[in-house]
Amino acid sequence: MNKILFFSFFIIINLVTPVLASEQTVIATGTYLIGDGPNETISVAKDRAREEAMRMASEKAGVYVESYSKTNNSVLTKDEVHIIAGQVLKIQKEELVPQIMDNNYILWKCTITALVNTDQIDLKKIMADKVAVKRAIILEKKVQELQKENQQLKIAYNSTKNIEEKNTIEKRIINNEKTFEKSLLSTLGFKNGKWTYEVDTNNIIYDKVKQTITYSLIGYDNAGNIADKRNRKILINTNQYLRLGTTIFLKDGTTTQLRTGYSKEPEHICPDSEEEFIQKKLYKYLGVNSAKVNNPPQWIYITRWGDEQSNWDVYYDKNNMKIDRNTGTINLFIKNNSLQLLSRLLIAPSQCL
């Protein structure tokens, strides 16, 4: 590629427009004691400590969300405030530290530092999908109920001396762990202007030989019934995915296939996309630790694009941009802030003119 052209392009995409916003810092700590129960998994103990920290952080952020909603004449329930607060939190730092206690018990302590920016909360968009908000509340409550059940089971386990009763409680604790991890996998997130689909935790296939993960995402209609199911396959080695078809559930009880629900070729997993959100949760759930994934994105403002009727700011991801000097191409991800579209762009030398 002509060096002048490349340099000009690089200067253009590095123009940054600073945005001043009202941000508040939230710091919360969650703990979980391991060793006072039978055969508890360290990874689950960490998840429990982090979930408690996130719950407390959401409660703190909820104060700002509730205040913001009132100034915008929005009436939210306590559950809605909590769910929205958890979605608008931007995690800046997360520390997981073990502490040896008496009797060699280990207290896992998770401290989260996050930002909540009320200027960037779009209540209208978040609350537009009432069914998704309701599902998010239900799924979050299930996680919290499992946390409480676990504590009660451990107290009962340590209180009884009856061997048969201990064995029964131990089985319940193990089942609680499994259900807890599945529930974390199912929880929804608000990404790019819409709620993510729920993961079907009973339909996950991890092929370690082929390095693929096949799974399904479930969508619901206004009545809370399953409206559609999207089948996906992650190609772990290349950090890509395939759309394997979408089944639409009709009101008369029949189903049909969406014609556009298939990938013609592997698609890249975009930073900050729903696919990446699900990918991270699946990798954590399945213990996929050394796979290729996107770097944490850094979105840089490029320009304003559109006409008098519609226009939007366009950004590119600096941290996942790749330059092939042999072919003179630039591989990068772009998005716009109004439509919240994410895509991959391959720029050839002629396009830099």
Side-chain angles (χ1 to χ4, degrees):
M1 176 190 293
N2 184 291
K3 290 184 178 180
I4 295 178
L5 294 177
F6 173 77
F7 183 74
S8 298
F9 173 78
F10 201 75
I11 290 294
I12 290 172
I13 63 177
N14 268 284
L15 291 174
V16 181
T17 301
V19 178
L20 298 178
S22 175
E23 290 184 329
Q24 299 290 339
T25 300
V26 172
I27 300 175
T29 299
T31 61
Y32 185 76
L33 187 66
I34 188 172
D36 59 335
N39 300 318
E40 291 185 284
T41 308
I42 292 178
S43 63
V44 179
K46 292 178 180 179
D47 285 342
R48 290 190 189 276
R50 185 182 187 280
E51 182 61 27
E52 180 64 15
M54 280 298 297
R55 183 187 67 79
M56 297 181 70
S58 296
E59 286 185 0
K60 291 183 177 182
V63 175
Y64 303 111
V65 173
E66 187 172 20
S67 176
Y68 173 80
S69 67
K70 287 179 179 179
T71 60
N72 286 270
N73 299 317
S74 297
V75 180
L76 301 175
T77 67
K78 183 179 178 181
D79 290 333
E80 289 171 344
V81 168
H82 180 79
I83 286 297
I84 292 171
Q87 299 305 322
V88 300
L89 279 175
K90 293 183 178 179
I91 308 299
Q92 304 297 302
K93 187 178 180 182
E94 180 182 316
E95 291 182 310
L96 262 168
V97 180
Q99 181 180 347
I100 305 297
M101 308 295 286
D102 295 337
N103 300 320
N104 291 323
Y105 294 167
I106 299 176
L107 182 71
W108 280 99
K109 183 182 293 185
C110 179
T111 301
I112 287 174
T113 302
L115 295 177
V116 55
N117 188 337
T118 54
D119 289 349
Q120 295 181 357
I121 298 176
D122 192 335
L123 287 178
K124 188 176 180 181
K125 245 181 195 177
I126 295 174
M127 296 301 298
D129 191 342
K130 293 285 186 180
V131 174
V133 173
K134 186 177 179 180
R135 286 294 302 169
I137 291 172
I138 291 172
L139 293 170
E140 178 62 25
K141 281 187 174 182
K142 185 176 181 181
V143 169
Q144 296 308 320
E145 287 170 2
L146 288 166
Q147 289 276 67
K148 291 178 182 178
E149 181 190 55
N150 176 261
Q151 293 297 333
Q152 293 168 354
L153 286 172
K154 288 171 72 173
I155 291 172
Y157 180 84
N158 290 309
S159 299
T160 184
K161 294 182 180 179
N162 185 291
I163 300 299
E164 186 176 342
E165 190 174 349
K166 271 188 177 293
N167 290 336
T168 300
I169 296 173
E170 181 176 353
K171 290 178 181 178
R172 291 183 62 188
I173 290 175
I174 292 172
N175 183 65
N176 179 281
E177 274 201 348
K178 293 178 180 178
T179 308
F180 176 75
E181 288 293 280
K182 276 192 172 185
S183 296
L184 287 183
L185 179 61
S186 295
T187 52
L188 305 180
F190 189 75
K191 298 291 177 184
N192 303 310
K194 64 178 182 178
W195 287 92
T196 59
Y197 272 56
E198 184 178 335
V199 177
D200 181 0
T201 54
N202 296 315
N203 190 24
I204 301 171
I205 302 173
Y206 177 22
D207 191 325
K208 294 184 179 181
V209 177
K210 295 181 179 179
Q211 285 294 282
T212 60
I213 301 172
T214 305
Y215 64 99
S216 298
L217 301 175
I218 303 173
Y220 295 86
D221 61 20
N222 292 331
N225 301 311
I226 295 179
D228 59 273
K229 182 175 286 189
R230 304 181 179 188
N231 301 312
R232 300 282 190 269
K233 178 183 285 187
I234 293 177
L235 310 178
I236 298 173
N237 290 334
T238 59
N239 195 30
Q240 295 175 305
Y241 78 105
L242 290 167
R243 290 177 287 120
L244 303 179
T246 297
T247 301
I248 307 296
F249 293 81
L250 303 176
K251 291 183 179 181
D252 62 4
T254 61
T255 62
T256 185
Q257 294 297 314
L258 187 67
R259 291 183 180 181
T260 58
Y262 297 87
S263 297
K264 293 182 179 179
E265 59 184 26
E267 302 175 44
H268 286 262
I269 298 177
C270 294
D272 276 345
S273 64
E274 179 184 39
E275 287 75 28
E276 185 188 63
F277 178 74
I278 300 298
Q279 176 198 38
K280 289 179 178 179
K281 295 176 75 171
L282 283 168
Y283 280 12
K284 191 173 187 301
Y285 176 71
L286 297 170
V288 181
N289 301 315
S290 58
K292 178 182 177 183
V293 294
N294 294 323
N295 297 320
Q298 181 183 356
W299 296 105
I300 304 296
Y301 174 77
I302 304 175
T303 185
R304 180 164 282 261
W305 192 8
D307 51 36
E308 294 181 358
Q309 283 72 37
S310 62
N311 56 69
W312 53 84
D313 293 331
V314 182
Y315 300 81
Y316 83 100
D317 179 13
K318 183 179 179 180
N319 286 355
N320 288 289
M321 180 176 70
K322 293 182 180 180
I323 303 168
D324 190 333
R325 300 186 184 278
N326 294 322
T327 60
T329 57
I330 302 171
N331 192 344
L332 74 161
F333 296 99
I334 62 171
K335 74 171 184 177
N336 66 60
N337 65 330
S338 60
L339 298 179
Q340 293 297 322
L341 293 176
L342 285 163
S343 60
R344 174 175 168 268
L345 184 65
L346 188 65
I347 299 178
S350 60
Q351 292 176 282
C352 297
L353 294 173

